Amino acid sequence: MATERTLSIIKPDATRRNLTGQINAKFEAAGLRIVAQKRIHLTKAQAGKFYEVHKERPFYDELCDFMSSEPVVVQVLEGEGAIARNREVMGATNPANAADGTIRKDFALSVGENSVHGSDAPETAAVEIAYFFSGLELVG
């Protein structure tokens, strides 16, 4: 399996509860390295642009409101099979269906407030990383 990079977002429900360190510890324990990281407060327009792929879905406005409600931590994770590994560590979107020990099982409040976002494919990861980080900010 090749070394990859993926975008990770620690969402407002988790930053509000000061869970960034505990979530990052799970990524690192799974062999993922944090090669870029910053805490930002998205505007609704920025959240809308990032989640534009979901624009026609009924949850889009609620998602944009939520993602712009409080600060988030955006980061780039790197490792062997980073995209799949990150998704495994995050767990199922619905915390009720997430495996024990995953981020969403341990920390999510609901399907909507599920603590983390992760890229779902190499192409998506490249676009999502570029949305938040310049090449100079990626320090491996």
Side-chain angles (χ1 to χ4, degrees):
M1 196 166 274
T3 297
E4 296 176 324
R5 286 182 171 169
T6 188
L7 183 81
S8 167
I9 302 177
I10 301 176
K11 294 181 177 182
D13 62 294
T15 62
R16 177 178 62 244
R17 292 178 291 143
N18 204 29
L19 298 173
T20 301
Q22 292 176 69
I23 290 171
N24 282 342
K26 287 184 178 281
F27 292 139
E28 291 175 335
L32 296 167
R33 290 183 32 198
I34 301 166
V35 297
Q37 181 183 68
K38 57 188 166 186
R39 183 179 178 95
I40 61 174
H41 196 148
L42 294 169
T43 65
K44 187 169 181 181
Q46 290 167 327
K49 180 71 175 160
F50 180 76
Y51 285 108
E52 195 168 45
V53 66
H54 298 303
K55 191 170 187 149
E56 301 305 318
R57 295 193 173 185
F59 60 81
Y60 174 75
D61 284 331
E62 185 179 339
L63 175 62
C64 294
D65 286 340
F66 168 61
M67 291 300 291
S68 61
S69 68
E70 296 186 51
V72 297
V73 174
V74 292
Q75 54 195 8
V76 178
L77 307 176
E78 180 181 80
E80 293 294 318
I83 295 166
R85 187 169 297 170
N86 179 38
R87 296 187 72 73
E88 182 179 312
V89 172
M90 288 191 307
T93 303
N94 183 341
N97 300 331
D100 288 342
T102 62
I103 292 167
R104 289 177 172 148
K105 186 65 157 190
D106 291 350
F107 303 124
L109 299 174
S110 66
V111 173
E113 291 185 309
N114 62 19
S115 299
V116 286
H117 164 90
S119 303
D120 62 2
E123 301 79 19
T124 311
V127 170
E128 291 182 346
I129 289 168
Y131 188 79
F132 291 109
F133 295 96
S134 73
L136 292 173
E137 295 175 298
L138 303 173
V139 183

